[in-house]
Amino acid sequence: MEHPLKNFSKTYRLETIVVSNPDTSYRTEKSYVRVAEVYYLGNEKDYFKYHVLVVDFNFSNDDNAMGKFLKQISYLFDELELAVDKNGHIVEINNLDFLRLRWMKLAARLSENHEGEAINNYFSQISSVLEEESRLISFLEGYNMFGLLFNGLLQPLDTKIKRVSSEGFTEIITPVRDGDKIILTTAAEDPEPAGIDHFRGLFVFREGHNEEGFTEIKKDNTHLKHSLLWIG
């Protein structure tokens, strides 16, 4: 069984842009960029094993207190060992105990200089995510984490499908062949119950592997843009 990323290592640039109050004079824009190296470790139990190492972070707001805080939190997930099924979904976190221990140490260090109800709630949310592997998998498959890569689309499709997205609505994914590329376009079937005002996405595959991806989500006066680019 050949693994979908083809090479033994690949490097991707992942970016999330958050635009708050986009249609008002209070509009703000923040960018969160990560560069991740993905290493193929072999197969086990019909799963592909990958080591994900985030080697660079570039947050546009890391010059203020909250930006610095979020950047330090992000380091918690800069090293992951994942088991992924043939469809590209994460099925196991193989270094979960390492992440839990790391979080205990990081939370203790951060609590020395950060306090308040908002900080405590943030800590509680992360602790809750790490309590159960299924919650952590759902978190990591979100578009703001690694959902543009480990998203059930590691390999291109040849027929239209529907699936439930990480945002809770049904995505319609349609493949179109363009020379040696397969382009997947995504749209929302009925986004309103999930509170989504607008959704669209696009994935480009060449020779069977994911070269770039993009999703755009508008909800709650927030415009979210997530992108993935293979850079080496």
Side-chain angles (χ1 to χ4, degrees):
M1 184 169 59
E2 185 180 14
H3 73 105
L5 293 184
K6 304 298 181 184
N7 298 337
F8 283 95
S9 67
K10 283 188 178 295
T11 303
Y12 292 91
R13 181 184 186 274
L14 302 107
E15 180 177 19
T16 291
I17 296 174
V18 181
V19 181
S20 301
N21 302 305
D23 301 318
T24 72
S25 59
Y26 302 103
R27 182 184 188 277
T28 61
E29 181 173 319
K30 299 173 184 177
S31 172
Y32 304 91
V33 177
R34 293 164 295 149
V35 175
E37 297 176 351
V38 182
Y39 297 91
Y40 170 61
L41 303 179
N43 292 8
E44 184 177 306
K45 296 187 299 185
D46 293 327
Y47 298 145
F48 305 112
K49 305 291 289 292
Y50 294 107
H51 184 184
V52 180
L53 185 64
V54 181
V55 296
D56 190 28
F57 293 85
N58 186 0
F59 290 4
S60 63
N61 63 338
D62 63 3
D63 57 347
N64 60 48
M66 182 53 70
K68 291 178 180 177
F69 173 76
L70 292 176
K71 193 170 186 178
Q72 291 181 77
I73 292 290
S74 297
Y75 289 133
L76 172 63
F77 302 105
D78 68 358
E79 187 171 356
L80 301 167
E81 293 181 7
L82 309 175
V84 178
D85 67 19
K86 64 180 181 180
N87 295 317
H89 284 294
I90 300 171
V91 293
E92 293 177 0
I93 312 292
N94 296 134
N95 64 334
L96 182 54
D97 289 340
F98 165 79
L99 295 174
R100 288 168 174 164
L101 179 60
R102 196 179 198 189
W103 170 237
M104 290 175 60
K105 295 178 179 178
L106 178 60
R109 188 173 77 247
L110 290 175
S111 63
E112 294 176 359
N113 300 310
H114 300 83
E115 58 183 14
E117 184 177 355
I119 297 297
N120 291 336
N121 288 339
Y122 207 93
F123 282 7
S124 295
Q125 290 175 18
I126 295 174
S127 296
S128 178
V129 165
L130 290 170
E131 278 181 7
E132 293 186 20
E133 186 177 36
S134 60
R135 292 182 188 175
L136 181 56
I137 288 173
S138 296
F139 172 71
L140 294 176
E141 286 193 339
Y143 287 129
N144 61 323
M145 292 300 292
F146 298 97
L148 289 177
L149 183 61
F150 299 112
N151 55 7
L153 296 175
L154 267 183
Q155 302 183 78
L157 305 172
D158 52 15
T159 58
K160 180 188 291 189
I161 67 166
K162 293 183 180 182
R163 68 172 189 177
V164 177
S165 78
S166 60
E167 297 289 335
F169 59 87
T170 299
E171 291 180 1
I172 303 171
I173 304 174
T174 306
V176 177
R177 182 171 291 278
D178 180 11
D180 63 344
K181 296 186 295 185
I182 294 179
I183 299 173
L184 305 181
T185 60
T186 62
E189 183 175 61
D190 184 17
E192 290 187 7
I196 306 297
D197 299 318
H198 171 77
F199 171 80
R200 68 185 180 100
L202 182 144
F203 298 87
V204 178
F205 292 82
R206 190 188 302 270
E207 297 181 354
H209 70 86
N210 193 343
E211 285 197 343
E212 60 182 305
F214 171 84
T215 62
E216 180 181 38
I217 304 169
K218 295 180 180 179
K219 63 177 182 178
D220 301 329
N221 292 319
T222 302
H223 190 176
L224 302 171
K225 303 176 184 179
H226 307 287
S227 63
L228 166 85
L229 180 65
W230 173 49
I231 59 176

